[in-house]
Amino acid sequence: MLTPLGRGTAAVSAVLYAAGWWLGYPEPAMLAVAGLVAVAGAVLWTLPRPRLEVDREIAPLKVGRGEPAVGVLHVTNAGRAGVRGLTAHDAAGAAEVAVDIPRLRPRGRRTVTYRLPTGRRGEIPVGPLRLVRADPLRLARRVREYGSPQTLLVRPRTVPLALLPSGRAHHLEGPTSDRSPAGTATFHALREYVVGDEMRHIHWKSSARTGTLMVRRLVDASLPTTTVVLEARPEAWADPDDFELAVDAAASVAAGAAAANFPVRILTGGGPVAETRGGPDDLEVLLDRLTAVAMAEGPSSTVDVVRRVRAGGSLVVVASGGADLGRIAAVRGRFDRVVVLRVRPGEAASAPPGVHLVDFGDLDGLASAWNTLGRAAGRGR
């Protein structure tokens, strides 16, 4: 079909031809004929339908905010004639990425890559992929869609944070089926039997149903939980970028605890976001759940959420500079450690007794302050 430039060229050529014929001047008519010939040639250029085999991949499918992700496009010319003038257009959320494909020889194959936008957290729909074939003058083009849309998961960005000492005697071996203290071992999941497992842990009903010996995986219920409460009310965040930094901070704290195989609980005023019990897949679950967190009016304030949190373990509140430190401090007796992370506060504040206050303006600042807090906590034990 004709592009806007092609339609304009055809219209102007028709007007020039009519004016030249009416006024008796051959020059405008010659220009008009040249323009019409160019438009007709452009249509004939794009009229053949090339036989193309197209495959698009996204690598990787999950990235942290701001980390690189690329589309990898493989285009094969299955026809007997060469193909040129191809441009790939791939939608990525609200943006569109365009990349030129070099000339394809008969039976030839080309691979091109292009960057996908990862500056915003969330599920980014990628596609549909469109291949546009245009003439050299861009007067006409043919558009075809290939494949189906895919989803790029842009998760929160994280920095390594160590697990803070709890300050009380807990069983620090991590989840295990053999070393859980008596009275604290609880059922978590089923897994296949391996040599060395105790026969008393075999789940006979599941084994009979599956035809494979299955054993109960037990966890130590006394492991201290890291509870992360994230302020998500819109009125608390004047700048959306501050909220994105708060989500990154919450993800970093949760990832640090999950990496040590400790239980993690994440909440906002709208309710629970994720809860894990300490396992190898916890980190993926936490980051995936935090990907979908957005600012929203919740039925409860952050302080109300803190008051209802189950006691024990560490409490980490991620809030703006206007956090009510006094009301948060009122629950300090229910937790081993209470930490408030304030994102880019406008002014300094003193931490109430029993509360550790960390102000930060970026993730690097958070990591530095967190490590300092961990060393101080270790010396105070």
Coordinates of all heavy atoms in Angstrom, one line a residue, residues 116-197:
L116 N 15.6 -4.0 24.1 CA 14.3 -3.8 24.5 C 14.3 -2.8 25.7 O 15.2 -2.9 26.5 CB 13.6 -5.1 24.9 CG 13.4 -6.1 23.7 CD1 12.9 -7.4 24.2 CD2 12.4 -5.5 22.7
P117 N 13.3 -2.0 25.9 CA 13.3 -1.0 27.0 C 13.0 -1.8 28.3 O 12.0 -2.5 28.4 CB 12.1 -0.1 26.6 CG 11.2 -0.8 25.7 CD 12.1 -1.8 24.9
T118 N 13.8 -1.5 29.3 CA 13.7 -2.2 30.6 C 13.7 -1.1 31.7 O 14.0 -1.5 32.9 CB 14.8 -3.2 30.9 OG1 16.1 -2.6 30.8 CG2 14.7 -4.3 29.8
G119 N 13.4 0.1 31.4 CA 13.5 1.2 32.4 C 12.4 1.2 33.4 O 12.5 1.8 34.5
R120 N 11.3 0.5 33.1 CA 10.1 0.5 33.9 C 9.8 -0.9 34.3 O 9.8 -1.8 33.5 CB 8.9 1.1 33.3 CG 8.9 2.6 33.3 CD 8.7 3.1 34.7 NE 8.8 4.6 34.9 CZ 8.8 5.2 36.0 NH1 8.7 4.5 37.1 NH2 8.9 6.5 36.1
R121 N 9.5 -1.1 35.6 CA 9.2 -2.4 36.1 C 7.8 -2.8 35.7 O 6.9 -2.0 35.5 CB 9.2 -2.4 37.7 CG 8.8 -3.6 38.4 CD 9.0 -3.4 39.9 NE 8.3 -2.2 40.3 CZ 7.0 -2.1 40.7 NH1 6.3 -3.1 40.6 NH2 6.5 -0.9 41.0
G122 N 7.6 -4.1 35.5 CA 6.3 -4.7 35.1 C 6.3 -5.7 34.0 O 7.4 -6.1 33.6
E123 N 5.2 -6.2 33.7 CA 5.1 -7.2 32.6 C 5.0 -6.4 31.3 O 4.0 -5.8 31.0 CB 3.9 -8.1 32.8 CG 4.0 -9.0 34.0 CD 2.8 -9.9 34.1 OE1 1.9 -9.9 33.3 OE2 2.8 -10.7 35.1
I124 N 6.0 -6.5 30.4 CA 6.1 -5.7 29.2 C 5.7 -6.6 28.0 O 6.4 -7.6 27.7 CB 7.5 -5.2 29.0 CG1 8.0 -4.4 30.2 CG2 7.5 -4.3 27.7 CD1 7.2 -3.3 30.6
P125 N 4.5 -6.4 27.4 CA 4.2 -7.2 26.2 C 5.0 -6.8 25.0 O 5.2 -5.7 24.7 CB 2.7 -6.8 26.0 CG 2.5 -5.5 26.6 CD 3.5 -5.4 27.7
V126 N 5.6 -7.8 24.4 CA 6.5 -7.6 23.3 C 5.9 -8.3 22.1 O 5.6 -9.5 22.0 CB 7.9 -8.3 23.5 CG1 8.8 -8.1 22.3 CG2 8.6 -7.6 24.7
G127 N 5.6 -7.5 21.0 CA 4.9 -8.0 19.8 C 3.6 -7.3 19.7 O 3.1 -6.5 20.5
P128 N 2.9 -7.6 18.6 CA 3.4 -8.6 17.5 C 4.5 -8.0 16.7 O 4.6 -6.8 16.5 CB 2.1 -8.8 16.7 CG 1.3 -7.5 16.9 CD 1.6 -7.0 18.3
L129 N 5.3 -8.9 16.1 CA 6.4 -8.5 15.3 C 5.9 -8.2 13.8 O 5.1 -9.1 13.3 CB 7.5 -9.6 15.2 CG 8.6 -9.3 14.3 CD1 9.5 -8.2 14.8 CD2 9.4 -10.6 14.1
R130 N 6.2 -7.1 13.3 CA 5.8 -6.7 11.9 C 7.0 -6.5 11.1 O 8.0 -5.8 11.5 CB 5.0 -5.4 11.9 CG 3.6 -5.6 12.7 CD 2.8 -4.3 12.6 NE 3.5 -3.2 13.3 CZ 3.9 -2.1 12.7 NH1 3.6 -1.9 11.4 NH2 4.5 -1.1 13.4
L131 N 7.0 -7.2 9.9 CA 8.1 -6.9 8.9 C 7.5 -6.0 7.8 O 6.5 -6.3 7.2 CB 8.5 -8.3 8.3 CG 9.4 -9.2 9.2 CD1 10.0 -10.3 8.3 CD2 10.6 -8.4 9.7
V132 N 8.2 -4.9 7.6 CA 7.8 -3.9 6.6 C 8.8 -4.0 5.4 O 10.0 -3.8 5.6 CB 7.7 -2.5 7.2 CG1 7.3 -1.5 6.2 CG2 6.8 -2.5 8.4
R133 N 8.3 -4.2 4.2 CA 9.1 -4.1 3.0 C 8.7 -2.9 2.3 O 7.6 -2.7 1.9 CB 8.9 -5.3 2.2 CG 9.9 -5.4 1.0 CD 9.6 -6.5 0.1 NE 10.6 -6.6 -1.0 CZ 10.4 -7.2 -2.1 NH1 9.3 -7.8 -2.4 NH2 11.4 -7.3 -3.0
A134 N 9.7 -2.0 2.1 CA 9.4 -0.7 1.4 C 10.4 -0.5 0.2 O 11.5 -1.1 0.2 CB 9.6 0.5 2.4
D135 N 10.0 0.3 -0.7 CA 10.9 0.6 -1.8 C 11.9 1.6 -1.4 O 11.8 2.2 -0.3 CB 10.1 1.2 -3.0 CG 9.5 2.6 -2.6 OD1 8.5 2.6 -1.8 OD2 9.9 3.6 -3.1
P136 N 13.0 1.8 -2.2 CA 14.1 2.8 -1.7 C 13.6 4.2 -1.5 O 14.2 4.9 -0.6 CB 15.1 2.7 -2.9 CG 14.9 1.4 -3.5 CD 13.4 1.1 -3.4
L137 N 12.5 4.6 -2.2 CA 12.0 6.0 -2.0 C 11.0 6.1 -0.9 O 10.5 7.2 -0.6 CB 11.4 6.5 -3.3 CG 12.4 6.7 -4.4 CD1 11.7 7.2 -5.7 CD2 13.6 7.6 -4.1
R138 N 10.6 4.9 -0.3 CA 9.6 4.9 0.8 C 8.2 5.4 0.3 O 7.5 6.1 1.1 CB 10.1 5.7 2.0 CG 11.4 5.1 2.6 CD 11.2 3.7 3.2 NE 12.3 3.2 4.0 CZ 13.3 2.5 3.6 NH1 13.3 2.2 2.3 NH2 14.2 2.1 4.4
L139 N 7.9 5.1 -0.9 CA 6.6 5.5 -1.5 C 5.5 4.5 -1.2 O 4.3 4.8 -1.2 CB 6.7 5.9 -2.9 CG 7.7 7.0 -3.3 CD1 7.7 7.1 -4.8 CD2 7.3 8.3 -2.7
A140 N 5.9 3.2 -1.1 CA 4.9 2.1 -0.9 C 5.6 1.1 0.0 O 6.8 1.1 0.2 CB 4.6 1.5 -2.2
R141 N 4.7 0.3 0.7 CA 5.2 -0.7 1.6 C 4.2 -1.8 1.7 O 3.0 -1.7 1.5 CB 5.5 -0.1 3.0 CG 4.3 0.4 3.7 CD 4.6 0.9 5.1 NE 3.4 1.4 5.8 CZ 3.5 1.9 7.0 NH1 4.6 2.0 7.7 NH2 2.3 2.2 7.6
R142 N 4.8 -3.0 2.2 CA 3.9 -4.1 2.5 C 4.2 -4.6 3.9 O 5.4 -4.7 4.3 CB 4.2 -5.3 1.5 CG 3.4 -6.5 1.8 CD 3.8 -7.7 0.9 NE 3.3 -7.5 -0.4 CZ 2.1 -8.0 -0.8 NH1 1.3 -8.6 0.1 NH2 1.7 -7.8 -2.0
V143 N 3.2 -4.8 4.7 CA 3.4 -5.1 6.1 C 2.8 -6.5 6.4 O 1.7 -6.8 6.0 CB 2.7 -4.0 7.0 CG1 2.9 -4.4 8.5 CG2 3.2 -2.7 6.7
R144 N 3.6 -7.3 7.1 CA 3.1 -8.6 7.5 C 3.5 -8.9 9.0 O 4.5 -8.4 9.4 CB 3.7 -9.7 6.6 CG 3.2 -9.8 5.2 CD 3.8 -11.0 4.5 NE 3.4 -12.2 5.1 CZ 3.9 -13.4 4.7 NH1 4.8 -13.5 3.8 NH2 3.5 -14.5 5.3
E145 N 2.6 -9.5 9.7 CA 2.8 -9.9 11.1 C 3.3 -11.3 11.2 O 2.8 -12.2 10.4 CB 1.6 -9.7 11.9 CG 1.2 -8.2 12.1 CD 0.1 -8.0 13.1 OE1 -0.4 -9.1 13.7 OE2 -0.3 -6.9 13.4
Y146 N 4.2 -11.5 12.1 CA 4.8 -12.9 12.3 C 4.7 -13.2 13.8 O 5.0 -12.4 14.7 CB 6.2 -13.0 11.8 CG 6.3 -12.9 10.3 CD1 6.4 -11.6 9.7 CD2 6.4 -14.0 9.5 CE1 6.6 -11.5 8.3 CE2 6.5 -13.9 8.1 CZ 6.6 -12.7 7.5 OH 6.7 -12.6 6.2
G147 N 4.5 -14.5 14.1 CA 4.5 -15.0 15.5 C 3.5 -14.4 16.3 O 2.5 -13.8 15.9
S148 N 3.6 -14.7 17.6 CA 2.6 -14.2 18.6 C 3.4 -13.4 19.7 O 4.6 -13.5 19.9 CB 2.0 -15.4 19.3 OG 2.9 -16.3 19.9
P149 N 2.7 -12.5 20.4 CA 3.3 -11.7 21.4 C 3.9 -12.5 22.5 O 3.4 -13.6 22.8 CB 2.2 -10.8 21.9 CG 1.2 -10.8 20.8 CD 1.2 -12.1 20.2
Q150 N 5.0 -12.0 23.1 CA 5.6 -12.6 24.3 C 5.6 -11.6 25.4 O 5.3 -10.4 25.2 CB 7.0 -13.1 24.0 CG 7.1 -14.2 23.0 CD 8.5 -14.6 22.7 OE1 9.2 -14.0 21.8 NE2 9.0 -15.6 23.3
T151 N 6.0 -12.0 26.6 CA 6.0 -11.1 27.8 C 7.4 -11.1 28.3 O 8.0 -12.1 28.6 CB 5.0 -11.6 28.8 OG1 3.7 -11.6 28.3 CG2 5.1 -10.7 30.0
L152 N 7.9 -9.9 28.4 CA 9.2 -9.6 29.1 C 8.9 -9.2 30.5 O 8.2 -8.2 30.7 CB 10.0 -8.5 28.4 CG 11.2 -8.0 29.1 CD1 12.3 -9.1 29.2 CD2 11.8 -6.8 28.3
L153 N 9.4 -9.9 31.5 CA 9.2 -9.5 32.9 C 10.4 -8.7 33.4 O 11.5 -9.2 33.6 CB 9.1 -10.8 33.7 CG 8.3 -10.7 35.1 CD1 6.9 -10.4 34.8 CD2 8.4 -12.0 35.8
V154 N 10.0 -7.4 33.7 CA 11.1 -6.5 34.2 C 10.8 -6.4 35.7 O 9.8 -5.8 36.2 CB 11.0 -5.1 33.6 CG1 12.0 -4.2 34.2 CG2 11.1 -5.2 32.1
R155 N 11.7 -7.1 36.5 CA 11.5 -7.2 37.9 C 12.3 -6.1 38.6 O 13.1 -5.4 38.0 CB 12.0 -8.6 38.4 CG 11.3 -9.7 37.6 CD 11.5 -11.0 38.2 NE 12.9 -11.5 38.2 CZ 13.3 -12.7 38.5 NH1 12.4 -13.6 38.9 NH2 14.6 -13.0 38.5
P156 N 12.0 -6.0 39.9 CA 12.8 -4.9 40.7 C 14.3 -5.2 40.6 O 14.7 -6.3 40.6 CB 12.3 -5.1 42.1 CG 10.9 -5.8 42.0 CD 11.1 -6.7 40.8
R157 N 15.0 -4.1 40.6 CA 16.5 -4.2 40.7 C 16.9 -4.4 42.1 O 16.3 -3.9 43.1 CB 17.1 -2.9 40.2 CG 18.6 -2.8 40.2 CD 19.1 -1.5 39.7 NE 20.5 -1.3 40.0 CZ 21.1 -0.2 40.4 NH1 20.3 0.9 40.5 NH2 22.4 -0.1 40.6
T158 N 17.9 -5.2 42.3 CA 18.3 -5.6 43.7 C 19.8 -5.4 43.8 O 20.6 -5.4 42.9 CB 18.0 -7.0 44.1 OG1 18.6 -7.9 43.2 CG2 16.5 -7.3 44.0
V159 N 20.2 -5.2 45.1 CA 21.6 -5.2 45.5 C 21.8 -6.2 46.6 O 20.9 -6.5 47.3 CB 22.1 -3.8 45.9 CG1 22.1 -2.8 44.8 CG2 21.2 -3.3 47.1
P160 N 23.0 -6.8 46.7 CA 23.2 -7.8 47.7 C 23.1 -7.2 49.1 O 23.9 -6.2 49.4 CB 24.6 -8.4 47.4 CG 24.9 -8.0 46.0 CD 24.2 -6.7 45.8
L161 N 22.3 -7.7 50.0 CA 22.2 -7.3 51.4 C 22.3 -8.5 52.2 O 21.6 -9.5 52.0 CB 20.8 -6.6 51.6 CG 20.6 -5.3 50.8 CD1 19.2 -4.7 51.3 CD2 21.7 -4.3 51.1
A162 N 23.1 -8.4 53.3 CA 23.3 -9.6 54.2 C 22.1 -9.7 55.1 O 21.3 -8.7 55.3 CB 24.5 -9.4 55.0
L163 N 21.8 -10.9 55.6 CA 20.8 -11.1 56.6 C 21.2 -10.5 57.9 O 22.3 -10.9 58.4 CB 20.5 -12.6 56.7 CG 19.3 -13.0 57.6 CD1 18.0 -12.5 57.0 CD2 19.3 -14.5 57.9
L164 N 20.4 -9.6 58.5 CA 20.8 -9.0 59.8 C 20.7 -10.1 60.9 O 19.8 -10.9 60.9 CB 19.8 -7.9 60.1 CG 20.0 -6.6 59.3 CD1 18.9 -5.6 59.7 CD2 21.4 -6.0 59.3
P165 N 21.6 -10.0 61.9 CA 21.4 -10.9 63.1 C 20.1 -10.7 63.8 O 19.7 -9.5 63.9 CB 22.6 -10.5 63.9 CG 23.6 -9.9 63.0 CD 22.8 -9.2 62.0
S166 N 19.5 -11.7 64.2 CA 18.1 -11.6 64.8 C 18.2 -11.1 66.2 O 17.3 -10.5 66.7 CB 17.4 -12.9 64.8 OG 18.0 -13.8 65.6
G167 N 19.3 -11.3 66.9 CA 19.4 -10.9 68.3 C 18.9 -11.8 69.3 O 19.0 -11.6 70.5
R168 N 18.4 -13.0 68.8 CA 17.9 -14.0 69.8 C 18.4 -15.4 69.3 O 18.8 -15.5 68.1 CB 16.3 -14.0 69.8 CG 15.8 -12.7 70.4 CD 14.3 -12.8 70.5 NE 13.7 -11.6 71.0 CZ 12.4 -11.3 71.1 NH1 11.5 -12.3 70.8 NH2 12.0 -10.2 71.5
A169 N 18.3 -16.3 70.1 CA 18.8 -17.7 69.8 C 17.7 -18.4 69.0 O 16.6 -18.7 69.4 CB 19.1 -18.5 71.0
H170 N 18.0 -18.6 67.7 CA 17.2 -19.3 66.8 C 18.0 -20.5 66.2 O 19.2 -20.5 66.2 CB 16.6 -18.4 65.7 CG 15.6 -17.4 66.2 ND1 14.3 -17.7 66.4 CD2 15.8 -16.1 66.5 CE1 13.7 -16.6 66.8 NE2 14.6 -15.6 66.9
H171 N 17.3 -21.4 65.6 CA 18.0 -22.5 64.9 C 18.4 -22.0 63.5 O 17.6 -21.7 62.7 CB 17.0 -23.7 64.8 CG 16.5 -24.1 66.1 ND1 17.3 -24.8 67.0 CD2 15.3 -24.0 66.7 CE1 16.5 -25.1 68.1 NE2 15.3 -24.6 67.9
L172 N 19.7 -21.8 63.4 CA 20.2 -21.1 62.2 C 20.7 -22.1 61.1 O 21.5 -21.7 60.2 CB 21.3 -20.2 62.6 CG 20.9 -19.1 63.5 CD1 22.1 -18.2 63.9 CD2 19.7 -18.3 63.0
E173 N 20.3 -23.4 61.2 CA 20.8 -24.3 60.3 C 20.1 -24.2 58.9 O 20.5 -24.6 57.9 CB 20.5 -25.8 60.8 CG 21.3 -26.1 62.0 CD 22.8 -26.2 61.7 OE1 23.2 -26.3 60.6 OE2 23.6 -26.2 62.7
G174 N 18.9 -23.5 58.9 CA 18.2 -23.4 57.7 C 17.2 -24.6 57.6 O 17.2 -25.5 58.4
P175 N 16.3 -24.5 56.6 CA 15.3 -25.6 56.4 C 16.0 -26.9 56.2 O 16.9 -27.1 55.5 CB 14.6 -25.2 55.2 CG 14.8 -23.7 55.1 CD 16.1 -23.5 55.6
T176 N 15.5 -27.9 56.9 CA 16.1 -29.3 56.8 C 15.1 -30.3 57.3 O 14.2 -30.0 58.1 CB 17.4 -29.4 57.7 OG1 17.8 -30.8 57.6 CG2 17.2 -29.0 59.1
S177 N 15.2 -31.5 56.8 CA 14.3 -32.5 57.2 C 14.9 -33.4 58.3 O 14.2 -34.3 58.8 CB 14.0 -33.5 56.0 OG 15.2 -34.0 55.5
D178 N 16.2 -33.2 58.7 CA 16.8 -34.1 59.7 C 17.2 -33.3 61.0 O 17.2 -33.9 62.0 CB 18.1 -34.7 59.1 CG 17.8 -35.6 57.9 OD1 16.8 -36.3 57.9 OD2 18.6 -35.5 56.9
R179 N 17.5 -32.0 60.8 CA 18.0 -31.3 62.0 C 17.0 -30.4 62.7 O 17.4 -29.6 63.5 CB 19.3 -30.6 61.6 CG 20.4 -31.5 61.2 CD 21.6 -30.7 60.7 NE 21.3 -30.1 59.4 CZ 22.2 -29.5 58.7 NH1 23.4 -29.4 59.1 NH2 21.9 -29.0 57.5
S180 N 15.7 -30.4 62.3 CA 14.8 -29.6 62.9 C 14.5 -30.0 64.3 O 14.3 -31.2 64.6 CB 13.4 -29.6 62.1 OG 13.6 -29.2 60.8
P181 N 14.6 -29.1 65.3 CA 14.4 -29.5 66.7 C 13.0 -30.1 66.9 O 12.1 -29.8 66.2 CB 14.5 -28.1 67.4 CG 15.2 -27.2 66.5 CD 14.9 -27.7 65.1
A182 N 12.9 -30.9 67.9 CA 11.7 -31.6 68.2 C 10.6 -30.5 68.5 O 10.8 -29.6 69.3 CB 11.8 -32.5 69.4
G183 N 9.4 -30.7 67.9 CA 8.3 -29.8 68.2 C 8.3 -28.6 67.3 O 7.3 -27.9 67.3
T184 N 9.3 -28.4 66.5 CA 9.3 -27.2 65.5 C 9.2 -27.7 64.1 O 9.1 -26.8 63.2 CB 10.5 -26.3 65.8 OG1 11.7 -27.1 65.4 CG2 10.6 -25.9 67.2
A185 N 9.4 -29.0 63.8 CA 9.4 -29.4 62.4 C 7.9 -29.5 61.9 O 7.1 -30.1 62.5 CB 10.0 -30.8 62.3
T186 N 7.7 -28.9 60.8 CA 6.3 -28.9 60.2 C 6.4 -29.3 58.7 O 7.5 -29.1 58.1 CB 5.7 -27.5 60.3 OG1 6.5 -26.5 59.6 CG2 5.5 -27.0 61.7
F187 N 5.3 -29.8 58.2 CA 5.3 -30.3 56.8 C 5.3 -29.1 55.9 O 4.6 -28.1 56.1 CB 4.0 -31.1 56.6 CG 3.8 -31.4 55.1 CD1 4.5 -32.4 54.5 CD2 2.9 -30.7 54.4 CE1 4.3 -32.7 53.2 CE2 2.7 -31.0 53.0 CZ 3.4 -32.0 52.4
H188 N 6.2 -29.2 54.8 CA 6.3 -28.1 53.8 C 5.9 -28.6 52.4 O 5.1 -27.9 51.7 CB 7.7 -27.5 53.8 CG 7.9 -26.4 52.8 ND1 7.1 -25.3 52.8 CD2 8.8 -26.3 51.8 CE1 7.5 -24.5 51.8 NE2 8.5 -25.1 51.2
A189 N 6.5 -29.7 52.0 CA 6.2 -30.2 50.6 C 6.6 -31.6 50.5 O 7.2 -32.2 51.4 CB 6.9 -29.3 49.6
L190 N 6.2 -32.2 49.3 CA 6.6 -33.6 49.0 C 7.8 -33.6 48.0 O 7.8 -32.7 47.1 CB 5.5 -34.4 48.5 CG 4.3 -34.7 49.5 CD1 3.2 -35.4 48.8 CD2 4.8 -35.6 50.6
R191 N 8.7 -34.5 48.1 CA 9.7 -34.7 47.1 C 10.0 -36.1 46.9 O 9.6 -37.0 47.7 CB 11.0 -33.9 47.5 CG 11.6 -34.3 48.8 CD 13.0 -33.7 49.0 NE 13.5 -34.0 50.3 CZ 14.2 -35.1 50.6 NH1 14.3 -36.0 49.7 NH2 14.7 -35.3 51.8
E192 N 10.8 -36.5 45.9 CA 11.1 -37.9 45.6 C 12.1 -38.4 46.7 O 13.0 -37.6 47.1 CB 11.7 -38.0 44.2 CG 10.6 -37.8 43.1 CD 11.2 -38.2 41.8 OE1 12.3 -38.8 41.7 OE2 10.5 -37.9 40.8
Y193 N 12.1 -39.6 47.0 CA 13.0 -40.3 47.9 C 14.4 -40.3 47.3 O 14.6 -40.6 46.2 CB 12.5 -41.7 48.2 CG 13.4 -42.5 49.1 CD1 13.4 -42.4 50.5 CD2 14.3 -43.4 48.5 CE1 14.2 -43.2 51.2 CE2 15.2 -44.1 49.3 CZ 15.1 -44.0 50.6 OH 16.0 -44.8 51.4
V194 N 15.4 -40.0 48.2 CA 16.8 -40.2 47.8 C 17.4 -41.1 48.9 O 16.9 -41.1 50.0 CB 17.5 -38.9 47.7 CG1 17.0 -38.1 46.5 CG2 17.5 -38.1 49.0
V195 N 18.5 -41.8 48.5 CA 19.1 -42.7 49.4 C 19.6 -41.9 50.6 O 20.2 -40.8 50.5 CB 20.3 -43.4 48.7 CG1 21.1 -44.2 49.7 CG2 19.9 -44.2 47.6
G196 N 19.3 -42.4 51.8 CA 19.6 -41.7 53.1 C 18.5 -41.1 53.8 O 18.6 -40.8 55.0
D197 N 17.3 -40.9 53.1 CA 16.1 -40.4 53.7 C 15.6 -41.4 54.8 O 15.6 -42.6 54.5 CB 15.0 -40.1 52.7 CG 15.3 -38.8 51.9 OD1 16.1 -38.0 52.5 OD2 14.9 -38.7 50.8

